[in-house]
Amino acid sequence: MTLPHDRRADLKAFAELLGAGKFSFGKPDDMERLLHITPGAVSPLAAPNASAEELTVVFDASFDDQPLIAVHPLRNTATIAIPFDALIGWLGDKGHEPRIAKLP
């Protein structure tokens, strides 16, 4: 789930909207095993480190209106801004076709 920086994550509402089971924030061991990142460095750029069966990337629909999205480049000591449509295309090319949803 990727939200704008000024939004709170309502995990219960996200799970209901997406028809998923109970959501929780990732455990550090799972982040390392699946995404090869540490807590605080979560980024959609890490998605290709996991299989599409293990991970679904979801973006809030508000990013559609923005030309750029700011993300961590697999570590939280930096932030980069990239075109949102380029990120969507890159993820699709890597086998992770993202979902875009109006998140509560």
Side-chain angles (χ1 to χ4, degrees):
M1 218 56 75
T2 302
L3 297 169
H5 70 92
D6 58 349
R7 295 270 307 281
R8 266 182 69 95
D10 184 339
L11 300 182
K12 184 176 179 182
F14 294 167
E16 289 174 10
L17 174 73
L18 299 171
K22 183 180 176 185
F23 277 10
S24 65
F25 288 101
K27 295 181 175 89
D29 290 344
D30 290 338
M31 284 190 238
E32 175 61 36
R33 180 178 54 81
L34 292 170
L35 300 172
H36 308 292
I37 56 173
T38 58
V42 176
S43 170
L45 298 176
N49 291 335
S51 73
E53 292 78 33
E54 295 173 303
L55 178 76
T56 300
V57 179
V58 180
F59 289 97
D60 184 70
S62 65
F63 289 113
D64 266 344
D65 298 334
Q66 304 299 316
L68 299 174
I69 183 171
V71 296
H72 290 309
L74 305 182
R75 49 184 59 204
N76 65 357
T77 57
T79 302
I80 59 172
I82 57 178
F84 182 62
D85 59 344
L87 176 58
I88 296 299
W90 179 79
L91 287 167
D93 289 347
K94 297 293 184 182
H96 286 273
E97 196 63 45
R99 287 183 65 179
I100 299 175
K102 185 172 170 74
L103 298 171

